[in-house]
Amino acid sequence: MTSGSKFRVGICGAGIGGLTLAVALARYPDIEVVIYEGAQKLGEIGAGIGLFSRPWELICKLGLDEELLKATEIRPVDGPVSTFNYRLSDRPEGLEFFTLVTKGNLMTFHRPDFQNALLRKLPRSTKIYCSKRLLSYTQRPTGPVELYFEDGSTATCDLLVGADGLKSAVRRSMFTDKAKVAQSEKRMKEAGEYEASIEPTWCGTNAYRALIPTERLNARHPGHRVFTQPTQYLGKNGYVIAYPIAKGKLINFVAFTARHDLEGTKFNGPWVSPVDSSEVTEMYRSWEPEVKALMDCIERPLRWAINTVRPLSTYVHGKVAIIGDAAHASPPHQGSGAAQAIEDAFVLALALGHASTTRENLPRALDIYDRVRRPVAHDVHERNRINGQYFTFHHTPLDEDISTEETLRRLQDLSYRFTKNWEWAWSTSAEPVVREALELLNSS
Ligand SMILES: Cc1cc2nc3c(=O)[nH]c(=O)nc-3n(C[C@H](O)[C@H](O)[C@H](O)COP(=O)(O)OP(=O)(O)OC[C@H]3O[C@@H](n4cnc5c(N)ncnc54)[C@H](O)[C@@H]3O)c2cc1C
């Protein structure tokens, strides 16, 4: 450990959560940070990411906005903005029924640009080791946390943060330990709950992701709506979302296919894999021409079987914490998973950097992080799940024999409900959570 440092934080995973935490901790020069990334080199998948005003406020507080604004043409505004167009699209003739107006705009980026902006903000003192895939860790009441990697090497740190995503090895180790202790004390129900927290489950939905070169789409469908207006095309058991990124050079495309009856089951097959485009275009073949034009432009989309982590009873254990998808991977129907990882990172860094936090009382800082962040993340998880149902008309029959008037009435009702369920993302701020954490940190 460098002389003069208060304690050493090991971050497992250099995704958006892990890197944001490292940037946030850089404000406290007496905290040493080492990042261990499992992949051979750093790299986000080439897809889009959108952030509403709630996480954007934190991005500004971390001083990341200047770097990020270089990667997008969108300029943040405070007032009302038309963010998404909504169309009823699972029929030959689509119907526009709603415009989502948000407070402030959705800031959209190409993920590799986003990651590069975070990397540029890291101080030289932050060490990043690649090809360091964590298998497990051990901790004792005193002494450092010991980390064990797939390549046979080991390392130690005073505090371990698992920012290692959906399949988190840190979460696995944490809940395996907790289950063992509960078993040894004959608390069998609790042990069962801990064990059930380890493996993610499939939410019955797949997302097919692709980046469409704008030129290609323009050649097939000159002046396509999505060049100027981010759009969600809704239908029974599926929806498509498309918006421009990379200063308009690419269209971020995601098509969802939902089997709500399979929620909570195990997905058979790889969770992320390139597939033949026919796997998704088949379901959309009777949708409106605008959607078919998008489908015509995708080649070998990446299929993401959407797996989620059940709401956990804690995000911390002793000197170990989990953040981001490792703690609360949710269905992505409100574009808020990375945003929630950013919020975790912000609050955790605040707790660790607080003057009252020392190497000896780290569990106290982690408990405060857990106490303020977990209820919010769980609420967001449920809201995402519900929006997934709204967007695929799970409880809203809209068969073609229903009159246009009645269809519009049901769609208006649906728009009202999904907006209400989602508006936290742009009409609320993380400030009360930050304030609560500070009050707890300042109290004896
Ligand atoms: C289709 C789709 C669209 C989405 N759109 C949005 C959006 O618009 N806005 C938004 O906010 N969110 C969105 N999300 C959610 C968002 O992508 C995730 O919530 C976010 O990336 C989670 O970040 P993370 O850092 O927690 O995890 P990850 O991004 O998964 O990063 C984990 C890192 O840990 C590394 N790692 C894994 N295991 C180990 C190990 N054992 N040892 C060491 N390193 C390891 C990985 O290689 C990776 O670098 C979307 C998700 C999907 C599926």
Side-chain angles (χ1 to χ4, degrees):
M1 191 158 84
T2 315
S3 65
S5 87
K6 201 158 74 152
F7 48 79
R8 195 163 29 123
V9 178
I11 301 176
C12 178
I16 290 174
L19 290 177
T20 307
L21 178 64
V23 169
L25 285 174
R27 290 177 297 173
Y28 311 101
D30 54 353
I31 299 180
E32 205 176 320
V33 176
V34 183
I35 304 178
Y36 301 100
E37 166 56 45
Q40 281 178 353
K41 55 185 175 75
L42 298 177
E44 268 281 342
I45 58 141
I49 186 161
L51 297 179
F52 285 107
S53 60
R54 180 169 168 128
W56 186 254
E57 213 176 278
L58 298 180
I59 289 285
C60 295
K61 287 192 171 148
L62 291 173
L64 281 161
D65 48 332
E66 201 181 310
E67 278 298 333
L68 281 170
L69 287 174
K70 292 179 193 160
T72 179
E73 274 175 339
I74 302 175
R75 289 293 161 261
V77 290
D78 264 348
V81 184
S82 303
T83 293
F84 279 111
N85 262 353
Y86 283 82
R87 294 181 65 81
L88 172 65
S89 299
D90 60 349
R91 49 206 68 199
E93 207 177 316
L95 174 70
E96 184 137 344
F97 65 89
F98 182 61
T99 300
L100 180 72
V101 176
T102 58
K103 181 185 156 292
N105 32 12
L106 179 70
M107 301 297 294
T108 52
F109 302 92
H110 192 200
R111 279 177 185 253
D113 293 341
F114 196 91
Q115 188 184 46
N116 285 332
L118 289 170
L119 287 170
R120 280 196 292 274
K121 282 302 253 189
L122 282 184
R124 294 180 83 144
S125 57
T126 305
K127 296 187 198 75
I128 307 185
Y129 297 106
C130 287
S131 298
K132 285 286 169 202
R133 185 160 293 279
L134 187 91
L135 288 180
S136 62
Y137 69 82
T138 54
Q139 63 170 328
R140 293 181 194 84
T142 56
V145 184
E146 291 175 15
L147 317 184
Y148 305 98
F149 298 101
E150 202 175 64
D151 63 3
S153 62
T154 60
T156 60
C157 54
D158 297 310
L159 172 86
L160 171 65
V161 180
D164 50 347
L166 177 68
K167 294 182 183 172
S168 174
V170 178
R171 185 182 69 247
R172 174 177 298 281
S173 224
M174 182 185 281
F175 281 89
T176 305
D177 282 357
K178 281 177 171 286
K180 276 189 196 150
V181 173
Q183 266 163 7
S184 70
E185 292 168 0
K186 301 276 177 278
R187 289 178 281 121
M188 303 318 269
K189 188 164 173 263
E190 215 177 308
E193 272 165 24
Y194 289 144
E195 273 165 359
S197 302
I198 296 171
E199 290 298 337
T201 54
W202 187 40
C203 67
T205 295
N206 289 338
Y208 295 83
R209 303 168 98 173
L211 290 179
I212 301 173
T214 302
E215 276 178 18
R216 187 189 302 162
L217 180 59
N218 203 31
R220 303 227 172 164
H221 192 124
H224 196 287
R225 179 190 313 273
V226 300
F227 296 143
T228 50
Q229 183 60 61
T231 302
Q232 270 185 252
Y233 299 93
L234 309 189
K236 184 74 187 160
N237 295 330
Y239 76 94
V240 172
I241 185 163
Y243 56 79
I245 55 167
K247 299 188 174 169
K249 289 196 276 296
L250 297 167
I251 299 299
N252 183 54
F253 167 96
V254 190
F256 292 90
T257 56
R259 282 283 312 271
H260 297 290
D261 55 320
L262 295 180
E263 185 178 14
T265 61
K266 190 170 165 5
F267 182 78
N268 293 317
W271 290 3
V272 182
S273 85
V275 293
D276 196 90
S277 58
S278 61
E279 188 177 313
V280 57
T281 53
E282 182 58 19
M283 181 183 139
Y284 286 93
R285 71 174 189 280
S286 56
W287 285 46
E288 63 166 317
E290 277 185 36
V291 175
K292 288 210 271 193
L294 289 163
M295 295 280 168
D296 283 348
C297 292
I298 58 171
E299 288 168 355
R300 305 257 329 135
L302 263 190
R303 182 190 65 204
W304 288 58
I306 305 294
N307 281 273
T308 64
V309 173
R310 64 166 5 207
L312 301 177
S313 54
T314 181
Y315 295 167
V316 301
H317 188 207
K319 291 168 285 182
V320 182
I322 46 180
I323 66 169
D325 276 8
H328 44 68
S330 308
H333 304 300
Q334 297 191 337
S336 56
Q340 286 292 290
I342 291 167
E343 207 164 308
D344 288 343
F346 191 93
V347 173
L348 182 57
L350 190 82
L352 297 179
H354 192 263
S356 68
T357 304
T358 63
R359 191 177 335 156
E360 287 65 41
N361 68 5
L362 283 169
R364 169 184 177 262
L366 297 195
D367 280 339
I368 291 172
Y369 153 72
D370 181 54
R371 186 156 150 191
V372 303
R373 276 296 302 142
R374 200 156 39 84
V376 180
H378 290 177
D379 179 55
V380 169
H381 181 111
E382 186 56 14
R383 287 174 184 277
N384 271 278
R385 199 179 145 261
I386 292 172
N387 260 33
Q389 296 181 348
Y390 287 151
F391 291 155
T392 53
F393 304 151
H394 186 40
H395 300 297
T396 312
L398 287 167
D399 302 331
E400 286 186 52
D401 56 359
I402 297 172
S403 70
T404 311
E405 262 178 14
E406 178 58 15
T407 300
L408 274 172
R409 196 197 59 75
R410 290 185 190 183
L411 287 170
Q412 266 153 21
D413 177 54
L414 188 77
S415 330
Y416 174 78
R417 280 186 282 145
F418 71 66
T419 307
K420 278 274 154 227
N421 185 46
W422 196 1
E423 65 189 9
W424 67 271
W426 55 85
S427 66
T428 68
S429 154
E431 197 47 46
V433 176
V434 170
R435 218 178 307 123
E436 190 189 345
L438 270 176
E439 276 164 19
L440 290 167
L441 286 159
N442 288 335
S443 74
S444 60

